[in-house]
Amino acid sequence: MAKKLLGIDLGGTTVKFGILTLEGEVQEKWAIDTNILEDGQHIVPEIIEAIKHRLDLYGLTAEDFAGIGMGSPGSVDIVNKTVTGAYNLNWAETQAVGQAIESALGIPFAIDNDANVAALGERWVGAGENNPDVVFVTLGTGVGGGIIADGNLIHGVGGAGGEIGHIIVEPETGFACTCGNLGCLETVASATGVVRVARHLAESYEGDSSIKAAIDNGDSVTSKDIFVAAANGDKFANSVVEKVSFYLGLATANISNILNPDSVVIGGGVSAAGEFLRSRVETYFNKYAFPQVRKTTKIKMAQLGNDAGIIGAASLARQFAK
Amino acid sequence: MAKKLLGIDLGGTTVKFGILTLEGEVQEKWAIDTNILEDGQHIVPEIIEAIKHRLDLYGLTAEDFAGIGMGSPGSVDIVNKTVTGAYNLNWAETQAVGQAIESALGIPFAIDNDANVAALGERWVGAGENNPDVVFVTLGTGVGGGIIADGNLIHGVGGAGGEIGHIIVEPETGFACTCGNLGCLETVASATGVVRVARHLAESYEGDSSIKAAIDNGDSVTSKDIFVAAANGDKFANSVVEKVSFYLGLATANISNILNPDSVVIGGGVSAAGEFLRSRVETYFNKYAFPQVRKTTKIKMAQLGNDAGIIGAASLARQFAK
């Protein structure tokens, strides 16, 4: 019988698991709460227990698996299979995740950064269509991403490859970013970034707008509210979407002028805006992409949603199936 | 006896040749004029004759070579080993360069774009120190480059990977580029780009400057004149170098925020300005690079000069030595 892959998507709230075929088909999936108490010391033991329990339930053993892959927040050492500084897990110190899981389960294990792993998932069976050159941009609380170039995930010399959220898109008058720089893409294209752009544009906007009124009243406004209002014809909200699309189009064009990938895939919560956002980003992408890049690189929306994590994680374990 | 490599750097004025060891040491080099008459139909035959002549001279035969590599202008098909649209060679139509050379000399042949090949050279035995992640930016008549990520030269899906000259650095008020876009790095950092920036800044500069005076008089001014004047304390020329360095620092930081290479190596004619330019570019790079990138990615000047082409070309042929 063909071996299976086990993918683990470790997040600050839940740990998601999936059992997949070698072709990337999800056969089973489940999730547990992430127990971050006591410096997150229960996380890895609870992951191991959850896997043992499910394998028993399905009548599977270690022999049935080619390998396990995991995506993790924090700084991941892919060689030593450790995680450091994953603060949303309360993991300040280095955790020997790989050693614990391999010795407890007897299955080969691989690990990478969560944004890289989501990129691998979308590239493998999602919008990337298994092309060797795919860039993934995720618009959520922050802006992250992953680069697959010539079939390889690009980590860079210091592990900071794919820091797409920190591309500078407004070098002279940009907003302050949590990284310490000014004008990063994350400051204008994350969920909070979209709202920040709205607050900034609201200062000089004259005209009727439910979004501007809410901002001026000090009411809570989300990026989703802005996209919904824009789709319903609110001119102010549309000007915000236009500005955000300009920044995303400029950044994706510059990434593509450097790498000429088959596609730039946009995912994450903000990407729920779908074609309404994609087509606007594409307009600016087309303005700023080199002609040969414009002809060959596509702007796509992600297809896998929350499953990108477990699918990408499982893809890390394909190396053991060879 | 260990096999040798033969590297060919095909340019619009000269064809340079080098015989190298497998370790990248240049043992012999020579050059011939590029004969672009009659649609460039004599170029390949003359390259073949030149190699035959030198091999006779040195008492070498096909058996002594692992392979031949070539860097060429134009659009290069690395699989079919053909070149199309190399207008400075008068090659409008597709040229079966690989087939001609392999059948005439009986030595395996590989070819790539000239900017990519120079990048390979600097990465192999130049400033790149054979690191798997190196970006090369060449500042000459245009701005070109090559990306080596995780050990692989990145071509991209349409062969436009590494179009560093067409990164947009001034999206809203940029100069028109030959590619049809506005605000490309090439418009402000090539040899003519530096002069363009000077002409633009001269319009609003008040003060004594030999460079501004020359521009206002309609005298010929080169990028070298500007760098020399800046180094000698001309304030206007310094403001030009500062602006060019801002653009180069922004572009190299954004490349590095995406790829986190070990180094970005700056070469080409404009880079003759040396440390005077490098240190200024680094200042802006440090301003715009993500903290982990700032700590790990270095800005370097190229070391190989004109030999980068033959050395990088020879490196293409190392694949045949395995």
Side-chain angles (χ1 to χ4, degrees):
Chain A
M1 200 180 75
K3 298 248 179 181
K4 296 175 191 298
L5 303 170
L6 206 161
I8 307 171
D9 178 9
L10 173 56
T13 311
T14 58
V15 189
K16 300 186 188 76
F17 300 83
I19 295 175
L20 284 80
T21 65
L22 293 177
E23 290 72 40
E25 188 196 338
V26 180
Q27 295 189 311
E28 303 286 347
K29 61 179 181 176
W30 72 99
I32 62 172
D33 290 342
T34 309
N35 177 358
I36 63 170
L37 299 176
E38 298 176 86
D39 297 332
Q41 64 174 285
H42 304 294
I43 294 173
V44 173
E46 288 183 12
I47 286 172
I48 291 167
E49 278 316 301
I51 294 172
K52 281 185 175 171
H53 177 71
R54 284 284 162 152
L55 264 51
D56 281 352
L57 199 68
Y58 301 135
L60 295 169
T61 69
E63 295 303 307
D64 293 309
F65 290 88
I68 300 176
M70 181 191 271
S72 172
S75 177
V76 175
D77 180 332
I78 62 172
V79 175
N80 295 308
K81 306 175 187 178
T82 60
V83 177
T84 308
Y87 300 105
N88 59 342
L89 304 176
N90 284 338
W91 282 358
E93 301 298 315
T94 299
Q95 307 286 318
V97 180
Q99 193 180 44
I101 290 180
E102 284 184 337
S103 68
L105 297 173
I107 303 173
F109 177 85
I111 188 167
D112 210 316
N113 166 274
D114 49 5
N116 280 343
V117 159
L120 286 175
E122 279 292 343
R123 178 255 177 155
W124 186 23
V125 296
E129 298 177 344
N130 209 23
N131 195 282
D133 293 276
V134 173
V135 172
F136 182 62
V137 182
T138 174
L139 310 176
T141 313
V143 172
I147 311 277
I148 296 115
D150 207 8
N152 297 298
L153 194 55
I154 302 305
H155 294 93
V157 67
E163 285 292 355
I164 291 169
H166 301 282
I167 294 174
I168 305 292
V169 292
E170 194 68 86
E172 294 178 285
T173 59
F175 298 114
C177 183
T178 52
C179 79
N181 289 344
L182 302 176
C184 295
L185 180 64
E186 182 163 295
T187 67
V188 292
S190 64
T192 51
V194 172
V195 177
R196 186 180 288 118
V197 170
R199 287 186 196 288
H200 181 70
L201 293 179
E203 290 171 16
S204 58
Y205 187 80
E206 304 282 348
D208 283 342
S209 161
S210 61
I211 297 293
K212 177 175 158 62
I215 288 171
D216 290 348
N217 289 337
D219 296 344
S220 163
V221 172
T222 67
S223 63
K224 188 179 170 185
D225 296 336
I226 293 166
F227 281 105
V228 168
N232 288 332
D234 182 304
K235 281 190 184 166
F236 171 70
N238 261 297
S239 73
V240 176
V241 173
E242 203 65 23
K243 189 79 177 175
V244 169
S245 300
F246 156 74
Y247 288 124
L248 281 167
L250 175 62
T252 55
N254 276 342
I255 294 168
S256 303
N257 290 338
I258 297 166
L259 295 169
N260 188 205
D262 181 68
S263 59
V264 178
V265 179
I266 300 175
V270 174
S271 76
E275 179 62 19
F276 184 72
L277 176 62
R278 195 205 65 79
S279 61
R280 280 164 182 73
V281 172
E282 189 177 63
T283 299
Y284 287 100
F285 171 85
N286 284 339
K287 180 172 176 184
Y288 295 123
F290 183 65
Q292 179 65 7
V293 170
R294 190 185 306 141
K295 276 185 219 157
T296 53
T297 296
K298 298 173 277 290
I299 302 292
K300 294 182 175 179
M301 289 323 239
Q303 295 176 350
L304 301 181
N306 284 333
D307 285 353
I310 55 172
I311 294 171
S315 80
L316 288 176
R318 286 198 296 164
Q319 61 184 292
F320 305 119
K322 284 170 188 167
Chain B
M1 200 182 74
K3 298 248 180 181
K4 297 175 190 299
L5 303 170
L6 206 161
I8 307 171
D9 178 9
L10 173 55
T13 310
T14 59
V15 189
K16 301 186 187 74
F17 300 82
I19 295 176
L20 284 79
T21 66
L22 293 176
E23 290 72 40
E25 189 196 337
V26 179
Q27 295 189 312
E28 304 287 347
K29 59 180 183 176
W30 73 98
I32 63 172
D33 291 340
T34 309
N35 177 358
I36 63 170
L37 298 176
E38 297 176 87
D39 298 332
Q41 64 175 285
H42 304 294
I43 294 173
V44 173
E46 289 183 12
I47 286 172
I48 291 167
E49 278 315 301
I51 293 172
K52 282 185 174 171
H53 177 70
R54 285 283 162 154
L55 264 50
D56 282 350
L57 200 66
Y58 301 134
L60 295 168
T61 69
E63 295 304 306
D64 294 310
F65 290 89
I68 300 175
M70 181 190 273
S72 172
S75 178
V76 175
D77 180 333
I78 62 172
V79 174
N80 294 310
K81 307 175 187 177
T82 59
V83 177
T84 309
Y87 299 105
N88 60 342
L89 305 176
N90 284 337
W91 282 358
E93 301 298 315
T94 299
Q95 306 286 319
V97 180
Q99 193 181 43
I101 290 180
E102 284 184 338
S103 68
L105 297 172
I107 304 173
F109 177 86
I111 188 166
D112 210 318
N113 166 274
D114 49 5
N116 280 343
V117 159
L120 286 174
E122 278 293 343
R123 178 255 177 154
W124 185 25
V125 297
E129 297 176 347
N130 209 24
N131 194 283
D133 293 276
V134 173
V135 172
F136 182 63
V137 183
T138 176
L139 311 176
T141 313
V143 173
I147 312 276
I148 296 115
D150 207 7
N152 297 299
L153 193 56
I154 303 304
H155 294 93
V157 67
E163 284 292 355
I164 290 170
H166 301 281
I167 293 174
I168 304 291
V169 292
E170 194 67 88
E172 293 177 286
T173 59
F175 299 114
C177 185
T178 52
C179 80
N181 290 344
L182 302 177
C184 294
L185 180 63
E186 182 164 295
T187 66
V188 291
S190 64
T192 50
V194 172
V195 178
R196 187 180 288 116
V197 170
R199 287 186 196 287
H200 182 70
L201 293 179
E203 290 171 15
S204 57
Y205 186 82
E206 304 283 348
D208 282 344
S209 161
S210 63
I211 298 295
K212 177 175 158 61
I215 288 172
D216 291 348
N217 289 338
D219 295 344
S220 162
V221 172
T222 67
S223 62
K224 189 178 170 187
D225 297 335
I226 293 166
F227 282 106
V228 168
N232 289 331
D234 183 305
K235 281 189 183 166
F236 171 71
N238 262 296
S239 74
V240 175
V241 173
E242 203 65 24
K243 189 77 178 176
V244 170
S245 299
F246 156 75
Y247 288 124
L248 281 167
L250 175 62
T252 55
N254 276 342
I255 294 168
S256 302
N257 290 337
I258 297 166
L259 295 170
N260 188 204
D262 181 68
S263 60
V264 179
V265 178
I266 301 176
V270 174
S271 76
E275 179 61 19
F276 185 72
L277 176 62
R278 196 205 64 80
S279 61
R280 280 164 181 74
V281 173
E282 189 178 62
T283 300
Y284 288 101
F285 171 85
N286 284 338
K287 180 173 178 184
Y288 296 122
F290 183 65
Q292 179 65 7
V293 170
R294 191 185 307 141
K295 276 185 218 157
T296 53
T297 296
K298 299 174 277 292
I299 301 291
K300 294 182 175 179
M301 288 322 237
Q303 296 175 351
L304 301 182
N306 283 333
D307 284 353
I310 55 171
I311 295 171
S315 81
L316 288 176
R318 287 197 296 164
Q319 62 184 293
F320 304 120
K322 285 170 186 166

